[in-house]
Amino acid sequence: MQSKIAAALKLRYSPVAILLTDEKPEGALQFKEGRWGCVVAMFTAAARGRTAVFDRKTFGCLGGGVGLGFGNQYKNFPGGIEYFLSTGNKDFCRSEVGKNLVRNMPALEEGERYLKTPEMARKFVDSLPITEVPATYVVFKPLPEVSPDETPAVIVFLANPDQLSALTVLANYEGGGRLNVIAPFGAGCHTLFLIPYAEGRSEEPRAVIGLTDISARKHVDKDLLSFAVPYKMFLQMENNVEGSFLERESWLQVLKRNQS
């Protein structure tokens, strides 16, 4: 599956298709069961040409399980996810279980400090569109390798500021004044799949700017963010490339400076 958008924007990396399937792709990257890993690192590998697969036993971390649509894995978070995201849980870390865990996860005690209080963090978690995907596997695949008989759930672009600007304009090309693009707070995997997937099930889906998660930024080029689009919105945007600003001088001048 080729993308007119990717060609017009001269993207550094391939767009990534996220698919739901009951068939495991051969030769795909996959975390080992019970081993920690970051979903964003797998996404980056897919943008560079590899295929990655996840299931309910190989999602890398509890946040990744949530971000990939494998239910509310946060209920299993040691010491409470609301403390980890905010101020930490010193009492838990003094317990026998906590003492063993905090050696490898110091943030359990001090917190990541992405939200001011545990109460605010709990409200954030409760607001997430946590879901159980109706499939055994979630697959990250380079868009050109998607076959005609496959229907992705979400398409994700990696874009620099100029390309992100173009994607935002294109997403609003026939928006009629509606807010067609959002940039929500969340983990990297929330913005790659969980939130865009929820948008895809709405009557008026929106694109999602993401990978603003500070913990995940180390897995992404410093000048890139993600732009995740529910598949039906992606098709609309693809159909709008021809005749749009992407063929006009204003964009072509901006594009030229990205090729220097």
Side-chain angles (χ1 to χ4, degrees):
M1 182 183 293
Q2 299 300 319
S3 170
K4 296 177 183 178
I5 298 169
L9 269 56
K10 307 295 184 188
L11 297 174
R12 187 179 310 164
Y13 299 112
S14 169
V16 174
I18 303 182
L19 304 104
L20 306 180
T21 179
D22 290 322
E23 296 184 15
K24 184 178 178 179
E26 293 184 8
L29 299 172
Q30 187 175 19
F31 292 131
K32 294 184 182 296
E33 184 177 344
R35 296 289 297 275
W36 184 91
C38 182
V39 169
V40 176
M42 287 291 209
F43 168 78
T44 301
R48 290 186 168 113
R50 299 293 303 273
T51 294
V53 62
F54 312 87
D55 61 28
R56 286 169 174 79
K57 294 182 179 180
T58 61
F59 45 68
C61 75
L62 295 175
V66 172
L68 291 167
F70 293 135
N72 186 11
Q73 299 297 328
Y74 283 140
K75 65 186 179 182
N76 301 317
F77 200 93
I81 185 63
E82 65 269 32
Y83 293 98
F84 181 73
L85 292 173
S86 58
T87 59
N89 191 336
K90 290 182 172 58
D91 289 340
F92 171 76
C93 291
R94 294 188 189 103
S95 69
E96 289 305 312
V97 174
K99 287 178 182 177
N100 292 327
L101 291 174
V102 76
R103 293 189 186 98
N104 296 319
M105 294 181 65
L108 284 175
E109 185 169 13
E110 298 298 332
E112 291 186 308
R113 307 297 172 116
Y114 292 150
L115 291 156
K116 190 170 185 177
T117 67
E119 292 75 22
M120 290 180 182
R122 174 49 58 189
K123 287 181 180 179
F124 159 68
V125 172
D126 289 344
S127 74
L128 289 171
I130 293 174
T131 190
E132 284 277 0
V133 292
T136 305
Y137 301 104
V138 176
V139 175
F140 291 178
K141 180 182 287 191
L143 183 60
E145 296 183 15
V146 173
S147 62
D149 62 338
E150 293 179 311
T151 302
V154 173
I155 305 295
V156 188
F157 302 90
L158 275 174
N160 66 28
D162 286 341
Q163 295 161 338
L164 195 68
S165 299
L167 286 164
T168 299
V169 174
L170 187 62
N172 285 281
Y173 187 63
E174 56 177 300
R178 191 174 71 88
L179 182 65
N180 278 9
V181 181
I182 59 174
F185 168 77
C189 48
H190 295 165
T191 56
L192 291 176
F193 181 69
L194 182 70
I195 298 172
Y197 180 63
E199 287 293 325
R201 291 177 290 170
S202 69
E203 292 185 5
E204 296 183 323
R206 298 172 294 183
V208 178
I209 294 172
L211 291 184
T212 56
D213 176 6
I214 302 302
S215 296
R217 287 301 304 165
K218 60 181 176 285
H219 298 296
V220 187
D221 292 1
K222 64 182 181 180
D223 60 334
L224 300 183
L225 291 173
S226 61
F227 192 91
V229 187
Y231 188 60
K232 59 184 176 182
M233 188 176 186
F234 166 76
L235 293 177
Q236 181 188 65
M237 291 171 64
E238 282 281 303
N239 289 333
N240 282 331
V241 170
E242 294 176 0
S244 76
F245 70 96
L246 291 172
E247 297 177 338
R248 309 296 293 175
E249 189 63 23
S250 292
W251 168 248
L252 295 177
Q253 288 179 352
V254 173
L255 182 63
K256 187 176 181 180
R257 74 177 183 180
N258 281 274
Q259 296 174 299
S260 60

